[in-house]
Amino acid sequence: MNPKLEKHLNIAPEVAKALAEGKAVVALESTIIAHGMPYPKNVETAREVEDLIRAQGAVPATIAVLDGVIRIGLDEAALEKLGKAENVAKLSRRDLPLIVAQKGDGATTVAATMICAAMAGISVFATGGIGGVHKGAENDFDISADLEELAKTPVAVVCAGAKSILDLPKTLEFLETRGVPVVGYQTKQFPAFYCRDSGLDAPLTAQSVSEIAGMLAVQQDLGYQGGAVVANPIPESHAMDKAEMDNVIASALNSATKDGVFGKAITPYLLGKIVELTEGRSLESNIALVKNNAVLAANIAKDLSALN
């Protein structure tokens, strides 16, 4: 590793050992801990997700910036600190260097997690849902940096599709333009986070973990610079009704407009408002889909490690 890069990274011993031995490692983001759920549910969920990955025979690597150091894998104390802390910076590509230079604390979004995972040599990442093109982007150009990152950083993102609050047709169109594979896992429909079916077709479909791992291995062999989206529908037991969620999201968006919320504050605001409007049911759905994605990511990482 480049010494200049190494001085900014702290790779947990469990993760470093797995990487050195060519074993399966799954990256995890930290915005879900710092900005996505209330304490202590956030820390409990983070631990449960890590345990699920270990149970599949892979190693979890939750990523965050603490005291200006990019941490690849968090111990119990670090998880607690991140889960309890207030005003933790939300880090995307543009924010990461400054927070590191300022010796600050930050939780990584999908984009920043991909960047840090790639630095450490991790190829598979599990999250809830990717960011995308926001509704009304034709007026304010609000497009998540996640999409550009997927086009240039070679990390596969296992998710429940894109967040339901987004303009999903435009999000898929953007990913197509940038050449990012979007693969529905055992589904021909593109999932929409809380809902199994967005009403849109998944551009590609794979029926098995081995197919997805094989695709990722070929991407690596061919020297592709970008990543991939593995769209894994939320389990049926926790899926929410699409018509109900459409109404809830419309209400949440109206509230955001009235409250003057925009930019990178919009997603955590909307997710919080949706939890309120669904009386907590959306939070349970969020937790279920994250766990589901973690299990799939661990199995993809295992198959991919066997091919490398």
Side-chain angles (χ1 to χ4, degrees):
M1 185 181 293
N2 183 329
K4 289 187 176 181
L5 172 59
E6 190 173 2
K7 71 180 181 180
H8 297 299
L9 291 183
N10 180 312
I11 302 179
E14 179 189 22
V15 178
K17 184 174 184 290
L19 290 171
E21 295 174 353
K23 294 182 178 178
V25 178
V26 176
L28 298 166
E29 63 156 280
S30 49
T31 51
I32 197 168
I33 302 170
H35 305 115
M37 296 181 189
Y39 181 84
K41 197 71 172 178
N42 53 359
V43 175
E44 291 170 4
T45 301
R47 289 180 181 137
E48 290 169 359
V49 169
E50 289 193 347
D51 287 345
L52 280 170
I53 289 170
R54 291 190 183 97
Q56 303 303 313
V59 172
T62 301
I63 295 174
V65 174
L66 295 173
D67 300 318
V69 177
I70 299 170
R71 300 278 294 271
I72 312 293
L74 302 182
D75 57 21
E76 291 290 319
L79 276 175
E80 282 287 332
K81 176 181 178 179
L82 196 63
K84 291 179 177 178
E86 296 181 3
N87 300 317
V88 174
K90 183 180 179 183
L91 305 182
S92 192
R93 170 175 279 270
R94 68 175 185 183
D95 316 290
L96 186 62
L98 182 60
I99 298 302
V100 170
Q102 291 177 335
K103 309 297 183 188
D105 297 336
T108 53
T109 61
V110 168
T113 304
M114 289 180 71
I115 293 167
C116 298
M119 289 175 185
I122 301 170
S123 301
V124 180
F125 162 33
T127 187
I130 60 169
V133 179
H134 282 262
K135 296 179 187 293
E138 63 273 19
N139 299 314
D140 60 17
F141 294 93
D142 191 352
I143 300 173
S144 171
D146 295 353
L147 302 187
E148 280 290 351
E149 209 59 52
L150 279 158
K152 59 192 175 190
T153 300
V155 174
V157 180
V158 181
C159 59
K163 295 182 176 72
S164 315
I165 57 178
L166 302 168
D167 187 320
L168 298 184
K170 288 186 176 66
T171 296
L172 285 174
E173 188 63 37
F174 189 104
L175 289 169
E176 179 185 7
T177 299
R178 301 296 281 119
V180 178
V182 178
V183 185
Y185 176 62
Q186 297 182 345
T187 179
K188 293 183 179 180
Q189 283 76 47
F190 184 67
F193 203 62
Y194 303 114
C195 306
R196 289 178 61 83
D197 182 2
S198 65
L200 302 169
D201 291 338
L204 301 166
T205 300
Q207 295 299 326
S208 68
V209 168
S210 61
E211 285 181 82
I212 295 171
M215 178 194 75
L216 300 178
V218 171
Q219 276 190 306
Q220 293 174 355
D221 291 346
L222 298 179
Y224 271 39
Q225 295 302 303
V229 174
V230 179
N232 184 32
I234 182 174
E236 287 190 34
S237 58
H238 287 83
M240 301 192 72
D241 179 73
K242 185 176 183 301
E244 177 191 3
M245 287 309 301
D246 286 346
N247 289 333
V248 166
I249 290 165
S251 179
L253 286 166
N254 285 335
S255 294
T257 300
K258 288 177 184 176
D259 291 346
V261 181
F262 59 91
K264 65 181 181 180
I266 189 72
T267 297
Y269 174 92
L270 291 174
L271 293 178
K273 183 62 69 173
I274 289 167
V275 170
E276 177 188 321
L277 293 171
T278 60
E279 299 179 331
R281 287 181 296 126
S282 65
L283 178 58
E284 294 306 313
S285 293
N286 194 349
I287 292 169
L289 66 86
V290 169
K291 290 179 177 179
N292 192 45
N293 295 338
V295 170
L296 177 57
N299 285 293
I300 292 170
K302 281 198 305 180
D303 274 24
L304 182 59
S305 68
L307 292 172
N308 289 333

